[in-house]
Amino acid sequence: MNIQPIIKKDGPIVIAGPCSAESEQQVMDTAKALAKQNIDLFRAGIWKPRTRPNSFEGVGTIGLKWLKQVKQETGLKTTTEVAKTMHVFEALKYGVDVLWLGARTTVNPFAVQEVADALKGVDIPVLVKNPINPDLKLWMGAIERIYNAGITRIGVIHRGFSFFGDSNYRNVPRWQIPIDLKSQFPDIQIICDNSHICGRRDTLQAVAQKAFDLNFDGVMTEVHPNPDEAWSDAKQQITPDRFQELMNAIVLRQTSTDSAAFHNSMEHLRSEINELDSELWDLLGRRMAVADRIGTYKRDNNIAILQEHRWQEILGAALGKAGKTGLSEDFITNVYKAIHQESIDRQESVMNAS
Ligand code: PEP
Ligand code: MN
């Protein structure tokens, strides 16, 4: 695959604008304020995929006239979400510069293919948001469908994943998934949509910084002149002034250095990590071998695999060590759940071996 940048630039790619276009005034006010900040792309949703009906579903085609006006009056390039053929044709007709596929579209190969078919023979950059669920292959598949339609300028937007349970995030980031995507498509530019990851204003800065620390290529943030009054995603939108403060506070770190001293120290630290990792894997292997023996013993005595009180007991004991080890409770729980699951799988195969 020969994927090209959606925007050629040394510094970070900055995409900002309201969740939804609401009125000519709101669109123009936001764009004029953002044009002063040298952003790369002005975003606004024209058709909004809403989880439940009877929510605001976007202004539709009239909003494309406002985006055209943004371009004419501020010089800013524009981007909007497309989910079906009609959206693609209308957006192209009004000169939208970059298209994006939303999380609810990426999740559906039929919809992605419909957009890809509508794009055949068109040369326009396309950004593919991650699917709602944490499925790397679905994300890759959407990129491939767009690429197979002849689009070469493709980027991705990481907007987090839906989850079950409590979290400080609206959509949990699961950073390893975009990192894995980057190893599958090394040339693809990755943009962090901190707005949909956070779902609130106070954590936007930290998530954007984290993305840059992970070598992401840019951010997409929802900006509204009067966030509390926004017709969609009010809680996560920020004013243009606040957005400027956020971007000014971002620290960009180098991706590499020629310093020999740095490489030397890194080598030492990395070999320490490698040794510890190798011990970790040995230990885990030994632990699983004991799980196999437990599986055999339970099978011979006809006892069920999952012993809920035992699981609560060992998890509790591990969490009790959080203070001493300096590990967070979240981390301990996640690692332990993975170990426990593997242990159950192993016992299951021992029990059901014929
Ligand atoms: C949006 O960008 O406003 C949007 C609807 O995002 P997502 O597809 O990530 O939910
Ligand atoms: Mn939104």
Side-chain angles (χ1 to χ4, degrees), residues 316-331:
L319 289 175
K321 290 196 170 168
K324 200 169 142 221
T325 54
L327 302 171
S328 75
E329 293 197 354
D330 260 4
F331 176 71

Side-chain angles (χ1 to χ4, degrees), residues 18-20 43-45 47-50 81 100-105 129-130 132 157-160 170-171 193 196 220 222 232-233 236:
C19 176
S20 306
R43 66 149 281 157
W47 301 279
K48 301 301 297 178
R50 302 311 296 274
E81 172 175 351
W100 91 71
L101 263 64
R104 291 163 195 74
T105 303
K129 284 202 179 199
N130 65 257
I132 293 189
I157 302 174
H158 170 229
R159 49 78 81 195
R170 177 176 175 193
N171 293 291
D193 173 348
H196 291 89
M220 180 195 252
E222 289 184 341
S232 58
D233 290 350
Q236 69 199 30

Side-chain angles (χ1 to χ4, degrees), residues 46-47 57 59-62 64 80-94 99 111 114-115 117-119:
I46 298 295
W47 301 279
E57 294 195 322
V59 290
T61 301
I62 189 169
L64 293 171
T80 200
E81 172 175 351
V82 291
K84 47 191 197 178
T85 308
M86 182 275 278
H87 298 163
V88 174
F89 289 170
E90 290 287 280
L92 294 174
K93 193 162 96 193
Y94 284 88
L99 305 177
E114 179 178 328
V115 170
D117 290 342
L119 284 169

